[in-house]
Amino acid sequence: MIRQLLEADRQETMAFVGVQPAENLFIIGDIEAYGFDDPIQALWGDFGKDGVMRGVLLKFTDNYIVWAPGDFDAAGFAGIINADPSFRFLSGIEPIVREVEPYLDRKPDNPRVLHYAKCDTAAGLPAIPQEITVRKAVPDDASALIDQMYAIPEFADGEYSVCHKRRTLKEGTARAWLIEEKERIISSASSTAENTMSAMIVGVGTIPGYQQQGLASYCMSALCRELLEEGKMLCLFYDNPAAGRIYKRIGFRDIGKWCMWTYARKQVPEEN
């Protein structure tokens, strides 16, 4: 049975998704930030015949995320998505998304699939040499951090907002550790989508001319140690095998693949 989840379902829902906080980073974060009554999002639960929750579907604006560790009503979740003309994105662990896929009434325009990895130990994180100064970013670093992203070729095509970066650093839903030279940020590592259980690692990179010195690894080490000391599970996406080897060397391990599928918005007939 599928029904919409209410505030009264918070404890059961959080216990269900909290068993695997890396896999459910976005669901946990959105529940903590917006709850069950905010119109920006809606949640549905799938319950077995015994009344026990076995799946969760989250809608945040036009993006759906599905989670179920075992059998669930994939057709029922697909029916909710198909009925929503605003639907644009579907995300989740690949095998779960692919259970829903056959029941959707259209195919994705961009079925992107990324490697998904998590880390729960600092044992593999490199020590930071005494001659290297790594410091934690403050909100006033937002503009310089964005400039650094645009200076790194693999990040240069992204869309970044100084205002958003400043706000998330101020609110504590994101953080960054960085290395500077001549008052310019040359390397950094950031978190995003932080919640009480987990955090996503993003933006790990060094500008050209300073690469191959381990600087990004030092930034990541400082960032990850701080998050792990707070009891948070770390996770990240990657599609570059070379980057994957680096992440695994410092303690991350693959937990599967993550779908980030984009769909054309459904055309709604105009009324005469």
Side-chain angles (χ1 to χ4, degrees):
M1 178 193 73
I2 294 176
R3 64 171 176 82
Q4 188 163 349
L5 298 174
L6 306 173
E7 182 61 40
D9 300 301
R10 177 184 288 266
Q11 183 174 351
E12 181 178 8
T13 305
M14 292 297 279
F16 178 71
V17 297
V19 173
Q20 293 179 269
E23 290 85 340
N24 291 302
L25 174 138
F26 298 109
I27 294 177
I28 294 169
D30 287 343
I31 291 175
E32 290 181 350
Y34 302 101
F36 295 82
D37 300 325
D38 194 306
I40 199 171
Q41 70 181 21
L43 293 105
W44 294 265
D46 177 30
F47 298 82
K49 292 181 180 180
D50 55 2
V52 176
M53 183 177 290
R54 61 181 188 173
V56 168
L57 180 67
L58 166 74
K59 176 192 177 183
F60 185 84
T61 63
D62 54 3
N63 181 22
Y64 283 83
I65 299 177
V66 60
W67 166 252
D71 292 335
F72 71 106
D73 186 356
F77 278 168
I80 294 171
I81 297 171
N82 288 333
D84 183 0
S86 71
F87 163 55
R88 285 292 312 284
F89 306 99
L90 177 62
S91 303
I93 297 294
E94 185 180 23
I96 302 171
V97 171
R98 292 204 181 275
E99 285 197 51
V100 175
E101 178 189 18
Y103 303 103
L104 296 175
D105 58 12
R106 54 201 140 135
K107 297 297 182 182
D109 295 327
N110 181 17
R112 190 180 183 197
V113 179
L114 301 171
H115 293 276
Y116 198 26
K118 69 179 180 181
C119 176
D120 57 7
T121 176
L125 295 173
I128 301 172
Q130 290 186 344
E131 66 271 18
I132 299 293
T133 299
V134 185
R135 72 167 176 87
K136 189 174 182 180
V138 297
D140 285 344
D141 292 314
S143 180
L145 283 165
I146 298 302
D147 287 344
Q148 185 225 353
M149 288 293 100
Y150 282 122
I152 299 174
E154 56 264 42
F155 297 146
D157 292 334
E159 296 183 4
Y160 311 105
S161 165
V162 173
C163 291
H164 179 263
K165 190 71 172 180
R166 183 185 300 274
R167 184 176 71 251
T168 56
L169 287 172
K170 184 177 181 179
E171 293 174 347
T173 54
R175 69 187 83 184
W177 283 79
L178 56 90
I179 297 173
E180 297 166 295
E181 184 172 288
K182 298 178 181 178
E183 299 183 352
R184 182 186 186 188
I185 297 175
I186 60 173
S187 187
S188 69
S190 300
S191 69
T192 190
E194 286 195 32
N195 58 63
T196 58
M197 301 182 193
S198 47
M200 176 71 68
I201 306 301
V202 296
V204 180
T206 301
I207 65 173
Y210 295 90
Q211 296 167 333
Q212 306 301 319
Q213 300 178 47
L215 302 182
S217 294
Y218 300 146
C219 292
M220 195 168 176
S221 181
L223 172 66
C224 292
R225 287 181 191 278
E226 182 179 49
L227 290 165
L228 288 167
E229 287 172 1
E230 295 175 9
K232 295 186 179 184
M233 178 79 72
L234 311 180
C235 52
L236 54 79
F237 299 132
Y238 71 91
D239 55 6
N240 182 328
R245 288 192 291 272
I246 294 172
Y247 296 140
K248 290 173 185 177
R249 198 158 58 235
I250 64 176
F252 282 82
R253 65 184 188 277
D254 287 343
I255 54 176
K257 293 185 177 180
W258 182 267
C259 292
M260 298 175 66
W261 292 0
T262 304
Y263 292 76
R265 196 180 299 277
K266 184 179 289 187
Q267 297 296 317
V268 179
E270 295 183 4
E271 295 183 1
N272 295 327

